[in-house]
Amino acid sequence: MISRMPEEKLYYVVQLLESVEGLSENTEKGVKTPQQRALENLQRFRKRSDVEIDYKAELAKAREEKYAGID
């Protein structure tokens, strides 16, 4: 069936097989995908803040500053 398939359609078959392989129980546990490693790498740069921010007050202040001259 694959040998009769046009070459431009094989790309979709390969994508399908790769997605099915990811769902397979045969994959090793604990092995991280490149996407998971990239996310972990980004999270290393994330900083936690001890400062509590009142987002509603910040929004109200920004609106007041932006629209103060409109009457």
Side-chain angles (χ1 to χ4, degrees):
M1 193 160 107
I2 291 178
S3 63
R4 294 188 316 261
M5 189 174 291
E7 199 168 314
E8 60 271 2
K9 301 288 184 182
L10 288 178
Y11 172 77
Y12 300 108
V13 173
V14 170
Q15 280 188 327
L16 177 66
L17 291 173
E18 286 176 344
S19 65
V20 170
E21 182 184 29
L23 300 173
S24 172
E25 294 295 326
N26 296 333
T27 58
E28 296 179 38
K29 300 294 180 196
V31 175
K32 297 180 181 170
T33 65
Q35 294 87 351
Q36 290 170 327
R37 288 193 303 268
L39 176 63
E40 288 177 358
N41 190 26
L42 286 173
Q43 287 177 336
R44 287 188 305 123
F45 297 105
R46 184 177 184 190
K47 295 181 181 179
R48 302 279 181 207
S49 176
D50 296 335
V51 178
E52 284 290 323
I53 299 173
D54 183 4
Y55 292 104
K56 289 183 181 180
E58 290 289 324
L59 178 60
K61 181 181 172 186
R63 285 182 177 157
E64 180 64 32
E65 289 174 3
K66 183 173 183 178
Y67 300 114
I70 298 177
D71 286 325

Coordinates of all heavy atoms in Angstrom, one line a residue:
M1 N 0.8 -1.2 0.0 CA 0.0 0.0 0.0 C 0.9 1.3 0.0 O 0.6 2.2 -0.7 CB -0.9 0.0 1.2 CG -2.0 1.0 1.2 SD -3.3 0.5 2.4 CE -3.1 1.7 3.6
I2 N 1.9 1.3 0.8 CA 2.8 2.4 0.9 C 3.6 2.6 -0.5 O 3.8 3.7 -0.9 CB 3.8 2.3 2.0 CG1 3.0 2.5 3.3 CG2 4.9 3.3 2.0 CD1 3.8 2.3 4.6
S3 N 4.0 1.4 -1.1 CA 4.7 1.5 -2.3 C 3.9 2.1 -3.5 O 4.4 2.7 -4.4 CB 5.2 0.2 -2.7 OG 4.2 -0.7 -3.0
R4 N 2.5 2.0 -3.4 CA 1.7 2.6 -4.4 C 1.3 4.0 -4.1 O 0.8 4.7 -5.0 CB 0.4 1.8 -4.5 CG 0.5 0.3 -5.0 CD -0.8 -0.3 -5.2 NE -1.8 -0.1 -4.1 CZ -2.1 -1.0 -3.1 NH1 -1.4 -2.1 -3.1 NH2 -3.0 -0.7 -2.2
M5 N 1.6 4.5 -2.9 CA 1.2 5.8 -2.5 C 2.2 6.9 -3.2 O 3.4 6.6 -3.3 CB 1.3 5.9 -1.0 CG 0.8 7.2 -0.4 SD 0.8 7.2 1.4 CE -0.5 6.0 1.6
P6 N 1.6 8.0 -3.6 CA 2.4 9.1 -4.2 C 3.4 9.6 -3.1 O 3.1 9.6 -1.9 CB 1.5 10.2 -4.6 CG 0.1 9.6 -4.5 CD 0.2 8.3 -3.7
E7 N 4.6 10.0 -3.6 CA 5.6 10.4 -2.7 C 5.2 11.6 -1.8 O 5.6 11.7 -0.6 CB 6.9 10.7 -3.5 CG 8.1 10.7 -2.6 CD 9.4 10.8 -3.5 OE1 9.5 10.1 -4.5 OE2 10.2 11.6 -3.2
E8 N 4.5 12.5 -2.3 CA 4.1 13.7 -1.6 C 3.1 13.3 -0.4 O 3.0 14.1 0.5 CB 3.5 14.8 -2.4 CG 2.3 14.4 -3.2 CD 2.6 13.8 -4.6 OE1 3.8 13.7 -4.9 OE2 1.6 13.5 -5.3
K9 N 2.5 12.2 -0.5 CA 1.5 11.8 0.6 C 2.3 11.0 1.7 O 1.7 10.9 2.8 CB 0.4 10.9 0.0 CG -0.4 11.5 -1.1 CD -1.3 12.5 -0.5 CE -2.2 13.1 -1.7 NZ -3.1 14.1 -1.3
L10 N 3.5 10.6 1.4 CA 4.2 9.8 2.4 C 4.5 10.7 3.7 O 4.7 10.2 4.8 CB 5.5 9.2 1.8 CG 5.3 8.1 0.9 CD1 6.7 7.6 0.4 CD2 4.6 6.9 1.6
Y11 N 4.7 12.0 3.4 CA 5.0 12.9 4.5 C 3.9 12.7 5.6 O 4.2 12.7 6.8 CB 5.0 14.3 4.0 CG 5.1 15.4 5.1 CD1 6.3 15.6 5.7 CD2 4.0 16.1 5.4 CE1 6.4 16.6 6.7 CE2 4.1 17.1 6.4 CZ 5.3 17.3 7.1 OH 5.4 18.3 8.0
Y12 N 2.6 12.7 5.2 CA 1.5 12.6 6.2 C 1.5 11.2 6.9 O 1.2 11.1 8.1 CB 0.2 12.8 5.5 CG 0.1 14.2 4.8 CD1 0.2 14.3 3.5 CD2 0.1 15.3 5.6 CE1 0.2 15.6 2.9 CE2 0.0 16.6 5.1 CZ 0.1 16.7 3.7 OH 0.0 17.9 3.1
V13 N 1.9 10.2 6.2 CA 2.0 8.8 6.8 C 3.1 8.8 7.9 O 2.9 8.3 9.0 CB 2.3 7.8 5.7 CG1 2.5 6.4 6.4 CG2 1.1 7.7 4.7
V14 N 4.2 9.5 7.6 CA 5.3 9.5 8.5 C 4.9 10.3 9.8 O 5.2 9.9 10.9 CB 6.6 10.1 7.9 CG1 7.7 10.4 8.9 CG2 7.1 9.2 6.8
Q15 N 4.2 11.4 9.6 CA 3.7 12.2 10.7 C 2.8 11.4 11.6 O 2.9 11.5 12.8 CB 3.0 13.5 10.2 CG 4.0 14.6 9.8 CD 3.2 15.9 9.6 OE1 2.1 15.8 9.1 NE2 3.9 17.0 9.9
L16 N 1.9 10.7 10.9 CA 0.9 9.9 11.7 C 1.7 8.8 12.5 O 1.4 8.6 13.7 CB -0.1 9.2 10.7 CG -1.1 8.3 11.3 CD1 -2.0 9.1 12.2 CD2 -1.8 7.6 10.2
L17 N 2.6 8.1 11.9 CA 3.4 7.1 12.6 C 4.2 7.7 13.7 O 4.2 7.0 14.8 CB 4.3 6.3 11.6 CG 3.6 5.5 10.6 CD1 4.6 4.9 9.6 CD2 2.8 4.4 11.2
E18 N 4.7 8.8 13.6 CA 5.5 9.5 14.7 C 4.6 9.8 15.8 O 4.9 9.6 17.0 CB 6.2 10.7 14.2 CG 7.4 10.4 13.3 CD 8.1 11.6 12.8 OE1 7.5 12.7 12.8 OE2 9.2 11.5 12.3
S19 N 3.4 10.3 15.5 CA 2.4 10.6 16.6 C 1.9 9.4 17.3 O 1.8 9.4 18.5 CB 1.3 11.4 16.1 OG 0.5 10.7 15.2
V20 N 1.7 8.3 16.6 CA 1.3 7.0 17.2 C 2.4 6.5 18.0 O 2.2 5.9 19.1 CB 0.9 6.0 16.1 CG1 0.7 4.6 16.7 CG2 -0.4 6.5 15.4
E21 N 3.7 6.6 17.6 CA 4.8 6.1 18.4 C 4.9 6.8 19.7 O 5.2 6.2 20.7 CB 6.1 6.4 17.6 CG 7.3 5.8 18.3 CD 8.6 6.2 17.5 OE1 8.7 7.2 16.8 OE2 9.5 5.4 17.7
G22 N 4.6 8.1 19.7 CA 4.6 8.9 21.0 C 3.6 8.4 22.0 O 3.8 8.5 23.2
L23 N 2.5 7.8 21.5 CA 1.4 7.3 22.4 C 1.7 5.8 22.8 O 1.1 5.3 23.7 CB 0.1 7.3 21.7 CG -0.4 8.7 21.2 CD1 -1.7 8.6 20.4 CD2 -0.6 9.6 22.5
S24 N 2.7 5.2 22.2 CA 3.0 3.8 22.4 C 3.5 3.5 23.8 O 4.2 4.4 24.4 CB 4.0 3.3 21.4 OG 4.4 2.0 21.7
E25 N 3.2 2.4 24.4 CA 3.7 2.0 25.7 C 5.1 1.5 25.6 O 5.8 1.3 26.6 CB 2.8 0.9 26.2 CG 1.4 1.3 26.6 CD 1.3 2.3 27.7 OE1 2.2 2.3 28.6 OE2 0.5 3.2 27.6
N26 N 5.6 1.3 24.4 CA 7.0 0.9 24.2 C 8.0 1.9 24.4 O 9.2 1.6 24.4 CB 7.2 0.3 22.8 CG 6.3 -0.9 22.6 OD1 6.0 -1.6 23.5 ND2 5.9 -1.2 21.4
T27 N 7.6 3.2 24.5 CA 8.6 4.3 24.7 C 9.2 4.2 26.1 O 8.5 3.7 27.1 CB 8.0 5.7 24.6 OG1 6.9 5.8 25.5 CG2 7.5 5.8 23.1
E28 N 10.4 4.6 26.3 CA 11.1 4.5 27.6 C 10.5 5.5 28.5 O 10.3 6.6 28.2 CB 12.6 4.7 27.4 CG 13.3 3.7 26.5 CD 14.8 4.0 26.4 OE1 15.4 4.4 27.3 OE2 15.3 3.8 25.3
K29 N 10.3 5.1 29.8 CA 9.8 6.0 30.8 C 11.0 6.8 31.2 O 12.1 6.4 31.4 CB 9.3 5.2 32.0 CG 8.1 4.3 31.6 CD 6.9 5.1 31.2 CE 5.8 4.2 30.8 NZ 4.7 4.8 30.1
G30 N 10.8 8.1 31.5 CA 11.8 9.0 32.0 C 12.6 9.7 30.9 O 13.4 10.5 31.1
V31 N 12.4 9.3 29.6 CA 13.1 9.9 28.5 C 12.2 11.1 28.1 O 11.1 11.0 27.8 CB 13.3 8.9 27.3 CG1 13.9 9.6 26.1 CG2 14.1 7.7 27.8
K32 N 12.9 12.3 28.1 CA 12.2 13.5 27.8 C 12.3 13.8 26.3 O 13.3 13.6 25.7 CB 12.7 14.6 28.6 CG 12.5 14.4 30.1 CD 13.0 15.5 30.9 CE 12.8 15.1 32.4 NZ 13.4 16.0 33.3
T33 N 11.2 14.4 25.8 CA 11.2 14.8 24.4 C 11.9 16.1 24.3 O 12.1 16.8 25.3 CB 9.7 15.0 23.9 OG1 9.1 16.1 24.6 CG2 8.9 13.7 24.0
P34 N 12.3 16.5 23.1 CA 13.0 17.8 22.9 C 12.1 19.0 23.4 O 12.6 19.9 23.9 CB 13.2 17.9 21.4 CG 13.3 16.5 20.9 CD 12.4 15.7 21.8
Q35 N 10.8 18.9 23.2 CA 9.9 19.9 23.7 C 9.9 20.0 25.2 O 9.9 21.1 25.7 CB 8.5 19.7 23.2 CG 8.3 19.8 21.7 CD 8.6 18.5 21.0 OE1 9.1 17.5 21.5 NE2 8.3 18.4 19.7
Q36 N 9.9 18.9 25.9 CA 10.0 18.9 27.3 C 11.3 19.5 27.8 O 11.3 20.2 28.8 CB 9.8 17.5 27.9 CG 8.4 16.9 27.7 CD 8.3 15.5 28.0 OE1 9.2 14.7 27.8 NE2 7.1 15.1 28.6
R37 N 12.4 19.1 27.2 CA 13.7 19.6 27.6 C 13.8 21.1 27.4 O 14.3 21.9 28.2 CB 14.8 18.9 26.9 CG 15.0 17.5 27.3 CD 16.3 16.9 26.8 NE 16.4 16.9 25.4 CZ 16.1 16.0 24.6 NH1 15.6 14.9 25.1 NH2 16.2 16.1 23.2
A38 N 13.2 21.6 26.3 CA 13.2 23.1 26.0 C 12.4 23.8 27.0 O 12.8 24.9 27.5 CB 12.6 23.3 24.6
L39 N 11.2 23.3 27.4 CA 10.4 23.9 28.4 C 11.1 24.0 29.8 O 11.1 25.0 30.4 CB 9.1 23.2 28.6 CG 8.2 23.7 29.7 CD1 7.7 25.1 29.4 CD2 7.0 22.8 29.9
E40 N 11.8 22.9 30.2 CA 12.6 22.9 31.4 C 13.7 23.9 31.3 O 14.0 24.6 32.3 CB 13.1 21.5 31.7 CG 12.1 20.6 32.1 CD 12.6 19.2 32.4 OE1 13.8 18.9 32.1 OE2 11.8 18.3 32.8
N41 N 14.3 24.0 30.2 CA 15.4 25.0 30.0 C 14.9 26.4 30.2 O 15.5 27.3 30.8 CB 16.0 24.8 28.6 CG 17.3 25.6 28.5 OD1 18.0 25.9 29.4 ND2 17.6 25.9 27.2
L42 N 13.7 26.7 29.6 CA 13.1 28.1 29.8 C 12.7 28.3 31.2 O 12.9 29.5 31.7 CB 11.9 28.2 28.8 CG 12.2 28.4 27.4 CD1 10.9 28.3 26.6 CD2 12.9 29.6 27.1
Q43 N 12.2 27.3 31.9 CA 11.8 27.5 33.3 C 12.9 27.8 34.2 O 12.7 28.4 35.3 CB 11.0 26.3 33.7 CG 9.6 26.3 33.1 CD 8.8 25.0 33.5 OE1 9.4 24.0 33.9 NE2 7.5 25.1 33.4
R44 N 14.1 27.4 33.8 CA 15.3 27.7 34.7 C 15.5 29.2 34.8 O 16.0 29.7 35.8 CB 16.6 27.1 34.1 CG 16.7 25.6 34.3 CD 18.0 25.1 33.9 NE 18.4 25.4 32.5 CZ 19.5 26.1 32.2 NH1 20.4 26.5 33.1 NH2 19.8 26.4 30.9
F45 N 15.1 30.0 33.7 CA 15.3 31.4 33.7 C 14.2 32.2 34.3 O 14.3 33.4 34.5 CB 15.5 31.9 32.3 CG 16.8 31.3 31.6 CD1 16.7 30.3 30.7 CD2 18.0 31.8 32.0 CE1 17.8 29.8 30.1 CE2 19.2 31.2 31.4 CZ 19.1 30.2 30.5
R46 N 13.1 31.5 34.7 CA 12.0 32.2 35.3 C 12.3 32.6 36.7 O 12.8 31.8 37.5 CB 10.8 31.2 35.2 CG 9.5 31.8 35.7 CD 8.4 30.8 35.6 NE 7.2 31.4 36.0 CZ 6.1 30.8 36.2 NH1 6.0 29.5 36.0 NH2 5.0 31.4 36.5
K47 N 12.0 33.8 37.1 CA 12.3 34.3 38.4 C 11.0 34.4 39.2 O 10.0 34.8 38.7 CB 13.0 35.6 38.4 CG 14.3 35.6 37.7 CD 15.0 36.9 37.7 CE 16.3 36.9 37.1 NZ 17.0 38.2 37.0
R48 N 11.0 34.0 40.4 CA 9.9 34.2 41.3 C 10.0 35.5 42.0 O 11.1 36.0 42.3 CB 9.9 33.1 42.4 CG 9.9 31.7 41.8 CD 8.5 31.3 41.5 NE 8.5 29.9 41.0 CZ 7.6 29.5 40.1 NH1 6.7 30.2 39.7 NH2 7.7 28.2 39.7
S49 N 8.9 36.1 42.3 CA 8.9 37.4 43.0 C 8.2 37.3 44.3 O 7.2 36.6 44.5 CB 8.2 38.4 42.1 OG 8.1 39.7 42.8
D50 N 8.7 38.0 45.3 CA 8.1 38.0 46.6 C 7.1 39.1 46.7 O 6.4 39.2 47.7 CB 9.2 38.2 47.7 CG 10.2 37.0 47.7 OD1 9.7 35.9 47.3 OD2 11.3 37.2 48.2
V51 N 7.1 40.0 45.7 CA 6.2 41.2 45.8 C 4.8 40.8 45.3 O 4.7 40.2 44.2 CB 6.8 42.3 44.9 CG1 5.8 43.5 44.9 CG2 8.1 42.7 45.3
E52 N 3.8 41.1 46.1 CA 2.4 40.8 45.7 C 2.0 42.0 44.8 O 2.1 43.1 45.2 CB 1.5 40.7 46.9 CG 1.6 39.3 47.6 CD 1.1 38.2 46.7 OE1 0.1 38.4 46.1 OE2 1.7 37.1 46.8
I53 N 1.4 41.7 43.7 CA 0.9 42.8 42.8 C -0.6 42.8 42.8 O -1.2 41.7 42.6 CB 1.4 42.6 41.4 CG1 3.0 42.6 41.4 CG2 0.9 43.6 40.4 CD1 3.6 42.3 40.1
D54 N -1.2 43.9 43.0 CA -2.7 44.1 42.9 C -3.0 44.5 41.5 O -2.9 45.6 41.1 CB -3.2 45.1 43.9 CG -4.7 45.3 43.9 OD1 -5.3 44.5 43.1 OD2 -5.2 46.1 44.6
Y55 N -3.3 43.5 40.6 CA -3.5 43.7 39.2 C -4.7 44.6 38.9 O -4.6 45.4 38.0 CB -3.6 42.4 38.5 CG -2.4 41.6 38.5 CD1 -2.2 40.5 39.3 CD2 -1.3 41.9 37.7 CE1 -1.0 39.8 39.3 CE2 -0.1 41.2 37.7 CZ 0.0 40.1 38.5 OH 1.2 39.4 38.5
K56 N -5.7 44.6 39.7 CA -6.9 45.4 39.5 C -6.5 46.9 39.7 O -6.9 47.8 39.0 CB -8.0 45.0 40.3 CG -8.7 43.7 39.9 CD -9.9 43.4 40.7 CE -10.4 42.0 40.2 NZ -11.6 41.6 41.0
A57 N -5.7 47.1 40.8 CA -5.3 48.5 41.1 C -4.3 49.0 40.0 O -4.4 50.2 39.6 CB -4.6 48.5 42.5
E58 N -3.4 48.2 39.6 CA -2.5 48.5 38.5 C -3.3 48.9 37.2 O -2.9 49.9 36.5 CB -1.5 47.4 38.2 CG -0.5 47.2 39.3 CD 0.5 48.3 39.4 OE1 0.9 48.8 38.3 OE2 0.9 48.6 40.5
L59 N -4.3 48.1 36.9 CA -5.1 48.4 35.7 C -5.8 49.7 35.8 O -5.9 50.5 34.9 CB -6.1 47.2 35.4 CG -7.0 47.4 34.3 CD1 -6.2 47.5 33.0 CD2 -8.0 46.2 34.2
A60 N -6.4 49.9 37.0 CA -7.2 51.2 37.2 C -6.2 52.4 37.1 O -6.6 53.4 36.5 CB -7.8 51.1 38.6
K61 N -5.0 52.3 37.7 CA -4.1 53.4 37.6 C -3.7 53.6 36.1 O -3.6 54.8 35.7 CB -2.8 53.0 38.4 CG -1.8 54.1 38.5 CD -0.6 53.6 39.3 CE 0.6 54.6 39.2 NZ 1.8 54.1 39.8
A62 N -3.4 52.6 35.4 CA -3.0 52.7 34.0 C -4.1 53.4 33.2 O -3.9 54.2 32.3 CB -2.6 51.4 33.4
R63 N -5.3 53.0 33.4 CA -6.5 53.6 32.7 C -6.6 55.0 33.1 O -6.9 55.9 32.2 CB -7.8 52.8 33.0 CG -7.9 51.5 32.3 CD -9.2 50.8 32.7 NE -9.3 49.6 31.9 CZ -10.1 48.6 32.3 NH1 -10.8 48.7 33.4 NH2 -10.2 47.5 31.6
E64 N -6.5 55.4 34.3 CA -6.6 56.7 34.8 C -5.5 57.6 34.1 O -5.8 58.7 33.6 CB -6.4 56.8 36.3 CG -6.5 58.2 36.9 CD -7.9 58.9 36.6 OE1 -8.9 58.1 36.6 OE2 -7.9 60.1 36.5
E65 N -4.3 57.1 34.0 CA -3.2 57.9 33.4 C -3.5 58.0 31.9 O -3.2 59.1 31.3 CB -1.9 57.2 33.6 CG -1.4 57.2 35.0 CD -0.1 56.4 35.2 OE1 0.4 55.8 34.3 OE2 0.3 56.3 36.4
K66 N -4.0 57.0 31.2 CA -4.2 57.0 29.8 C -5.3 57.9 29.4 O -5.2 58.7 28.4 CB -4.4 55.6 29.3 CG -4.5 55.5 27.8 CD -4.5 54.1 27.3 CE -4.6 54.1 25.7 NZ -4.6 52.7 25.2
Y67 N -6.4 57.8 30.2 CA -7.6 58.5 29.8 C -7.9 59.8 30.6 O -9.0 60.3 30.6 CB -8.8 57.6 29.8 CG -8.7 56.4 28.9 CD1 -8.5 55.1 29.4 CD2 -8.7 56.6 27.5 CE1 -8.4 54.0 28.6 CE2 -8.5 55.5 26.7 CZ -8.4 54.2 27.2 OH -8.2 53.1 26.4
A68 N -6.9 60.3 31.4 CA -7.1 61.4 32.2 C -7.5 62.7 31.5 O -8.3 63.5 31.9 CB -5.9 61.7 33.1
G69 N -7.0 62.8 30.3 CA -7.3 64.1 29.5 C -8.5 64.0 28.7 O -8.9 65.0 28.0
I70 N -9.2 62.9 28.7 CA -10.5 62.8 27.9 C -11.7 63.2 28.7 O -11.9 62.7 29.8 CB -10.7 61.3 27.4 CG1 -9.5 60.9 26.5 CG2 -12.0 61.2 26.7 CD1 -9.6 59.4 26.1
D71 N -12.4 64.2 28.3 CA -13.6 64.7 29.0 C -14.7 65.0 28.0 O -14.7 65.4 27.0 CB -13.3 66.0 29.7 CG -12.5 65.7 31.0 OD1 -12.7 64.7 31.6 OD2 -11.6 66.6 31.3

